Every structure is written in C-alpha cells, then in structure tokens.
Amino acid sequence: MIRIVPFFAALVLIAVPAVAERVTIAPGEGALAAALAAVGKGDEIILSPGRYDGPVMIGKTLTLTGQTGAVIDAKGAGSVVLVDAPNVTVRGLHLTGSGRVHEPIDAGVKLTRKARGARVLDNVLTNNLVGIDIHGARDAVVKNNRIEGLRLARMNDRGNGIYVWNAPGAEVIGNEVQYGRDGIFSNVSKRNVFRGNLFRDLRFAVHYMYTNDSVIEDNISIGNHLGFALMYSDRIVARNNISINDRDHGVMLNYTNQSDIFANFVTGGTEKCAFVYNSHRNIIAENSFVGCEIGVHFTAGSERNTITGNAFVGNRTQVKYVGTSDVEWSHEGRGNYWSDHPAFDLDGDARADSAYRPNDLMDHILWSQPAAKLLLGSPAVQLVRWSQSQFPAARTGGVVDSHPLTTAPVRAIPDTIERMAQAIPLWAQGESYDDTDPLEAH
C-alpha cells in the first residue's frame, strides 16, 4: 500500500487543472507587453484606467479586460490588437489609432486564422481603418461593440466596421457601427449569424459577397446609401430587418438564390425599397415596402421566385418590371397587399375579387423611352391606358397578383414599431451625414 499511495496522488495532481490567474496592471511604458509575455495560458490581464501602447500581439490563450477608461493606442502603426491564438477574449477596452494600410488590413482588432473561438466583447473602437477584422477565425463572436469608422473624403478609402473573411461560424451580434465604408462586409464565408446590429451613416449596412448558408436578422439600417446588399450568395435568411431612410435601396438581391427574405421593413426616402437582379428561387414574403419611389424593381430574368404576403404601401411606383410574359406574384391563393388597388371582397375571404397588375403598357414605354414623359397628360396616353383596361388582348406581360390581399399583414408591425422607436433617438444624436460622396461600385 505504501507504494500505491504516491501513484494515486500523482494522478490527482495531473487531473487538477492549473488555476487561472488574474493580473491587474497600471499604465506605463512597456507594461502591457511585459504582462502579455509573463502570464500563463488561460490567465486574465486587467488593464487599469489609462493609456497603453499598441500595437499588441496576443499569441496565447488568455483574456484581456479593460476597466472603464482603459485605452490601447497603436498610434498609427498596424492593428491595435492582433489575436493569433485560440479562445482569446478581448473585452471592455477602448481601442484606437490603427494604421491605414489596406493590405494587410490594419484594424482595431484583427483575428487571424489561429484565433478560433475568439470573443470580442463590449469594446469601443475609434479612429481605426477597420473596426474588427475576422480574418479566417472560425467560430468567433463579436458582440456589443461600438465602432466609429473613419470619415475620409473618399468612401472607398475608409475601412469597414466589421470585415468577415472566410470565417465559418462567426456571430456578429448587438454591435453599433457608424461612419466608415460598410457596416459589415462578409466575403467568401459561410454559416454566419449577423443579429441585432445598428448601422448608421455608411455605404452599405450589410454587404454580402459569396457568403452562403447564413442569417441576417433583427438589424437596423438608418441613413445609409444602401441597407442590406446580398450579392452572389445562396441560402441566406434575411428576416425582421429594418431600413429607414437609406438612400438607394433598402434590400438588394444581386445573383442571390434559394434565400428567404422575410418580414423586413423598408421605409422613407428610398429610391427603391427592394431591387431584385438576376436572382432565382427565393421566397420574398411578409415584408413591408413603404413610401419609396419604387416598391420593388424586378429585373434581369429573375425567375421562380415566390412573392406573397408583402405590403406595398404608398410607393410612387409599386413595381417596376419589364417583360413580355406574365409573372405571378401570389402563392397558393395568397397574394400581396397593394395600397392603390381599389378592390372589392364580396365573399369576405380577405382576397380581392379582381387581380392586380401594377404596371401597364404606358409604364413599359416610359421606362424604355424616358422622353415619353412629356406626353403623360395627353389624351393619347389616356386612350392607351383605357384601351388596355378594357381589352385584355392589348396587355403586355408583367407582374400579376391573382389573389391580392385587402388588408396589410400586421404580424410583424408591433415589433417593427418598437425597434424603430428605439433606433431613431440614437440616429438623431449622431452628426448629420454628408452624402455627397459618390456610391462607388464594389
């Protein structure tokens, strides 16, 4: 027995993990770098209020926490904090002064491929080229950060608030991004979740390129050039998002396929509530498109899309579509609500008794020949429109809603109004945005 006891004692010592240490440091030349070199794996470094020198590289698993007033300043060189190890947490810090080099990307926080499972929480990031760069880090979480981007004269010289590149499983939740280029730019990624973020005074709120099997939900875009741009991406779920006063489009589908665009709300001053270009087999349902110049611009051979249960309210032109064949915008006997459709419902089934066609022959002529607008008030134009209404054979192809709704769907309205009420005061506190910068193509 005497020989067995030390053996079991050794096993117990091996099984008990080392206790993580918490080290609090004060500002001073080289203090943060020295602490990062000295602590062990799994330890926590707590920064007291004050300024610390960056850039900083984290090469081991640890937690870097800032007390209120703790600032790391890179003074224009590189990324403020570069994470190059798994399961690192960076939280509660003010990170500022990154370099302005686009390749490699300088950022407030840069997560490399080795930074799997990183957590970037509750930070303030200002005066950085890119706020947070998730560059190949799988399963990263970026949550509750406030990012204020650069305000350079050329928008494309600015960086994005959050850049996601080839980062499967990344979650971007509850962040506020203002100024800079795009709020979130996701490129060549998959299985991402972008939820509950607020975007203001940007080019695009969310910009998707080659990003598949991902979710965009409960986000708010206010006063940007474009709200939610889904491009060259498949199997996206975009639901319960809000676009308020975005200049060009609220939602854009460009080569986007097999996606669900559900219960989104677009309103106010927008050129096009939604723009659908060469996108196929999508479900566009239960959305509200309110008060835009064009409710939906549908073009470039988009086919086999299901469009049902949407509310088109008070748009100058409800739909812009030019085609030679009819495109049905109802599904299983349920169409959409059109505020300008003076219809009867004699059988009380909440469907209008007559089909709705948002465009006529003169619309097609005006879109293809803008100079024809000079004839809008002429008797000839009125005669063409009357003839088309009386003689179906004179109709051209276009959108047809065979089962239009007589009342607007309301299931998403209470939540929409509540989130709008929360968002607008935040927007009102921000500075006015100079929208003279050109919208430059990607």
Side-chain angles (χ1 to χ4, degrees):
M1 293 296 292
I2 295 175
R3 293 180 180 179
I4 298 175
V5 169
F7 173 74
F8 280 106
L11 287 180
V12 170
L13 290 173
I14 293 171
V16 175
V19 177
E21 293 188 7
R22 302 181 70 191
V23 178
T24 301
I25 65 172
E29 185 176 353
L32 178 53
L36 287 168
V39 298
K41 184 177 180 180
D43 290 349
E44 180 178 9
I45 300 174
I46 302 172
L47 276 60
S48 300
R51 300 186 76 86
Y52 298 80
D53 293 332
V56 169
M57 197 280 282
I58 300 176
K60 65 184 78 169
T61 299
L62 55 79
T63 298
L64 184 63
T65 300
Q67 296 178 348
T68 301
V71 180
I72 303 178
D73 188 347
K75 299 178 181 178
S79 293
V80 183
V81 174
L82 187 149
V83 179
D84 197 40
N87 301 315
V88 170
T89 297
V90 177
R91 68 184 176 202
L93 291 158
H94 182 178
L95 306 171
T96 188
S98 81
R100 297 191 178 182
V101 179
H102 286 270
E103 186 59 44
I105 299 169
D106 290 337
V109 177
K110 186 180 186 70
L111 307 178
T112 71
R113 289 177 180 270
K114 295 181 182 179
R116 180 165 188 162
R119 296 169 64 81
V120 182
L121 313 173
D122 305 309
N123 301 285
V124 175
L125 300 103
T126 61
N127 197 32
N128 303 299
L129 179 66
V130 171
I132 299 170
D133 178 16
I134 311 175
H135 212 83
R138 302 173 70 93
D139 302 319
V141 176
V142 172
K143 187 174 182 180
N144 296 339
N145 301 282
R146 183 164 63 84
I147 301 171
E148 183 174 319
L150 300 177
R151 303 185 69 186
L152 303 177
R154 281 178 47 85
M155 185 166 282
N156 276 6
D157 289 341
R158 312 170 191 175
N160 303 303
I162 300 168
Y163 180 31
V164 180
W165 179 83
N166 191 22
E171 297 184 1
V172 180
I173 300 171
N175 303 281
E176 180 180 346
V177 183
Q178 186 174 23
Y179 308 129
R181 190 183 184 207
D182 297 340
I184 301 175
F185 177 35
S186 179
N187 190 18
V188 195
S189 195
K190 58 186 176 181
R191 299 193 305 277
N192 301 137
V193 175
F194 300 162
R195 177 186 302 124
N197 303 285
L198 173 62
F199 305 101
R200 300 177 286 166
D201 307 321
L202 300 153
R203 187 184 73 151
F204 299 163
V206 175
H207 186 184
Y208 258 34
M209 294 287 290
Y210 307 105
T211 298
N212 303 322
D213 303 296
S214 297
V215 176
I216 307 168
E217 63 182 359
D218 298 319
N219 301 287
I220 301 174
S221 172
I222 303 176
N224 303 304
H225 285 180
L226 196 155
F228 304 92
L230 314 183
M231 306 171 67
Y232 301 95
S233 301
D234 298 335
R235 297 175 301 281
I236 302 301
V237 176
R239 63 187 171 214
N240 295 322
N241 301 289
I242 295 176
S243 165
I244 304 172
N245 290 341
D246 289 329
R247 191 185 72 181
D248 298 320
H249 317 319
V251 177
M252 180 174 70
L253 307 184
N254 184 7
Y255 288 85
T256 300
N257 306 303
Q258 303 176 63
S259 297
D260 293 351
I261 314 302
F262 184 82
N264 301 287
F265 187 98
V266 181
T267 188
T270 307
E271 179 185 337
K272 300 170 185 177
C273 284
F275 181 45
V276 182
Y277 182 90
N278 204 12
S279 298
H280 311 283
R281 291 178 289 171
N282 301 292
I283 298 174
I284 302 174
E286 310 299 329
N287 303 284
S288 296
F289 303 123
V290 181
C292 299
E293 288 295 313
I294 297 173
V296 174
H297 186 182
F298 195 81
T299 188
S302 300
E303 296 179 351
R304 289 179 287 173
N305 295 287
T306 299
I307 302 175
T308 180
N310 302 286
F312 294 83
V313 180
N315 303 297
R316 185 181 295 271
T317 298
Q318 300 282 40
V319 175
K320 180 177 181 178
Y321 172 77
V322 178
T324 57
S325 59
D326 287 345
V327 177
E328 179 60 53
W329 278 20
S330 66
H331 179 66
E332 296 182 348
R334 185 169 186 262
N336 306 273
Y337 174 75
W338 309 89
S339 63
D340 59 344
H341 183 37
F344 294 98
D345 177 21
L346 298 179
D347 57 5
D349 65 351
R351 273 68 163 172
D353 297 332
S354 60
Y356 176 79
R357 288 177 175 266
N359 306 132
D360 59 17
L361 176 60
M362 283 308 306
D363 288 327
H364 292 220
I365 294 172
L366 292 170
W367 294 331
S368 60
Q369 303 293 330
K373 290 181 180 179
L374 297 173
L375 303 175
L376 273 178
S378 70
V381 170
Q382 302 306 315
L383 178 61
V384 170
R385 284 186 160 155
W386 178 85
S387 300
Q388 189 171 8
S389 66
Q390 298 301 313
F391 303 102
R395 292 173 182 162
T396 60
V399 169
V400 180
D401 186 343
S402 297
H403 307 281
L405 306 178
T406 55
T407 57
V410 297
R411 56 198 248 182
I413 288 178
D415 183 52
T416 295
I417 293 173
E418 180 180 352
R419 285 186 289 130
M420 284 174 64
Q422 293 171 352
I424 289 174
L426 293 174
W427 172 49
Q429 292 169 12
E431 299 178 38
S432 61
Y433 181 57
D434 179 5
D435 64 358
T436 57
D437 292 331
L439 177 61
E440 302 181 48
H442 173 82

